[in-house]
Amino acid sequence: MNSLLIIINIIVLLLLIFGLFIMQKKHVSFSKRVFAGLGLGIVFGFIIHLLYGTTNSVTVNTIDWFNIVGNGYVKLLQMVVMPLVFISIVGAFTKLKLTKNIGKISFLVIGILLGTTAIAAAIGIGSALSFHLDGIHLNQGEEEAARNALLQEKVTGVKDMTIPQQIIELLPSNPFQDLTGARPTSTIAVVIFAAFVGMAYLGVRRKSPEQGEFFAKIIDTLYAIIMRIVTLILRLTPYGVLALITKVMATSDYGAIAKLGKFVIASYVALIVMFIVHLVLISLAKLSPVKYVKKSLPTLTFAFTSRSSAGTLPLNIQTQTKSFGVSEGIANFAGSFGLSIGQNGCAGIYPAMLAIMVAPSAGINPTDPSFIITLILVVAISSFGVAGVGGGATFAALIVLSVMNLPIAIVGLLISVEPLIDMGRTALNVSGSMTAGILTGKATKELDKDVYQQSNAIEA
């Protein structure tokens, strides 16, 4: 009987996918197809949850099959992330227009990412204090205890490292290993290695123009091929969103979410306030925040459902260039750097909120100005090298709490609501990355205002 129910669920998913395919054939816009996938997934996932619950074998095995579509799509995107990061950064150096402003662009992108992360940390602190969040009252069950045991092992190495030692960890001792994503800091290591390759290209171009031109053509060709692969994969976005959100709705523990509802609400209040800050920054640059929201929604929707900043990178870069008019070089820099530096949600809001929650248990007054200032600085500095995949926030929280000499057990206590909050955090990370690209483009006059003002969003 269970097998029959699983088959029925699979057939329903295939029918929904076919419906989205028909919409594509009828040239329905990309954003509408993404939102259609989101809406259908919410309804379908809730129905599965309502009929079978979260632990029933029907739900478990059904989601296992659905993962072929959802997780399979994310893996396809992750497949091109490291090559795209490397080629994007090197390609930024081969573009003559960009090399004239390379120092200024790097400074602005990193400065905006770190600055917005510091603001995000302050907002997270304010939200935690406003909602009177207290980690002491959280209960630890068997699952949370097991999670904390793993976290204790994970943090052992981090705890023994000073901030300078953590910075050294960002450097690529083996770039080929980092291209496989072997370390939590692999993405930033690849960015650094690519930057060295780019600077070497500039030196070769000055001394041997012919060799420099030949190398630039190779990079441009590789970039064109990788972006073509990206385009092919992005066409699957509505189907991926459908499967991913169905899984979230079907497997979420609504009871646990209700128990930790105060923390969830406080987290989303902070995330929304920080998103409004992004809109304010865009407004200060004399650009339309309404256009930004409309054009960024498909990308932010995928980031929300996939919980992967890295997986969203291809869509992030295409949205910046095609929808917002940001030059390719700046979009590549902002998108790539945004994977590991200054993630507003995962590395900014989340660690700051946890630190405020556990401070009383360590005998620290969370409203002490010196503690708050120190926490904001530690959060900003520690935001270097946060992995742009699900779990990056945990890594960031471990570093911040360890550096501040605060207990880390709270990270494991929030396991039941982690996926729900991580969706919003990831969307904010991507928004921060795109905001950095737009503001940098505007400041360096490498943003096409006509493209930004157009009503159409990215198509795939």
Side-chain angles (χ1 to χ4, degrees), residues 25 64 74 137 143 182 189 212 255 301 305 312 319 329 338 350 399-400 453:
K25 285 296 182 183
D64 197 30
V74 174
H137 298 119
E143 191 175 3
T301 299
T305 54
T312 313
T319 302
Y350 188 64
I399 293 176
V400 171
Q453 293 300 330

Side-chain angles (χ1 to χ4, degrees), residues 358-378:
V358 300
S361 66
I364 298 173
N365 178 7
T367 60
D368 180 14
S370 63
F371 171 75
I372 291 176
I373 293 171
T374 302
L375 177 58
I376 292 174
L377 291 175
V378 168

